[in-house]
Amino acid sequence: MEKITARDAKNQTFRITRFSEGYRIDATDSFLDDIRDALASWENGTAGNATMTSQQLAKQLAQLPTTKFKESYRLSDVDEFCEKARQTLEQYEAAGRPAAGGYPGAAPAYGAPAYGVASNGYVAAPPAGGQQYAAGAAGGDMVPIYVSPSDYAALERLAGERGESVGQFLHDCVNSWVQ
């Protein structure tokens, strides 16, 4: 299964229909923002702040308003993307239950195998207010990266300019260094 990222949700486009039934554009765009926020929470390691679960996504999709004879998003396009996003959230939920004293994607010790983090190639971010990241190439060992609060603010700005989470941004940077 292809994982959907917060960046995918931000950049997602759908074909437009005018005469067939489709999802209302304004409601769908708002729904995509919620999906992006939920995915970003998992990618940043702050799943406790996730605004949507896989079950909530499915329920909200079923309630998404449709329209006919107006510009709207094709039902099949939205349904397909949302199913991939639901499966991604479901995977995060199944693999990311916090361990005692930990949080999903907690940074391992230097050189320790990155259980559940390196396998998907993403950086594990700390819980809110934390300053430690684990970074490494997909399938490799993770190394801790310590970020000062002032540097974190700069990383948030740079990541936001690219439409990424801080974890995704650090992951991209580290991978460019090791390649």
Side-chain angles (χ1 to χ4, degrees):
M1 184 212 66
E2 174 191 351
K3 273 197 174 181
I4 299 294
T5 66
R7 185 189 325 175
D8 295 332
K10 181 179 186 207
N11 297 327
Q12 181 62 40
T13 59
F14 302 111
R15 292 178 290 177
I16 300 289
T17 184
R18 289 178 181 81
F19 301 107
S20 300
E21 183 177 23
Y23 289 112
R24 279 189 18 213
I25 290 174
D26 59 339
T28 305
D29 288 344
S30 177
F31 184 50
L32 279 179
D33 289 343
D34 293 342
I35 292 171
R36 183 198 66 227
D37 292 345
L39 291 168
S41 293
W42 282 99
E43 292 164 9
N44 288 329
T46 57
N49 298 333
T51 56
M52 178 185 297
T53 66
S54 60
Q55 290 178 350
Q56 290 169 329
L57 187 154
K59 183 178 178 182
Q60 289 179 26
L61 176 61
Q63 297 171 351
L64 201 60
T66 59
T67 187
K68 202 172 191 177
F69 302 116
K70 289 184 179 180
E71 251 187 27
S72 56
Y73 291 136
R74 285 195 175 185
L75 295 173
S76 60
D77 292 357
V78 175
D79 290 344
E80 180 182 332
F81 178 82
C82 288
E83 178 57 20
K84 289 178 183 176
R86 186 198 63 75
Q87 290 176 359
T88 299
L89 286 173
E90 194 171 66
Q91 274 189 327
Y92 282 135
E93 292 161 1
R97 301 273 182 230
Y103 57 92
Y110 180 82
Y115 174 75
V117 178
S119 63
N120 70 13
Y122 283 97
V123 173
Q131 299 173 354
Q132 181 181 5
Y133 286 83
D141 288 342
M142 303 297 274
V143 295
I145 297 175
Y146 296 95
V147 180
S148 72
S150 61
D151 288 341
Y152 183 81
L155 285 172
E156 278 186 314
R157 183 183 52 77
L158 290 170
E161 289 172 3
R162 292 177 53 166
E164 298 179 322
S165 66
V166 172
Q168 288 172 312
F169 180 73
L170 285 175
H171 165 72
D172 292 346
C173 290
V174 169
N175 272 338
S176 71
W177 299 334
V178 296
Q179 292 178 355

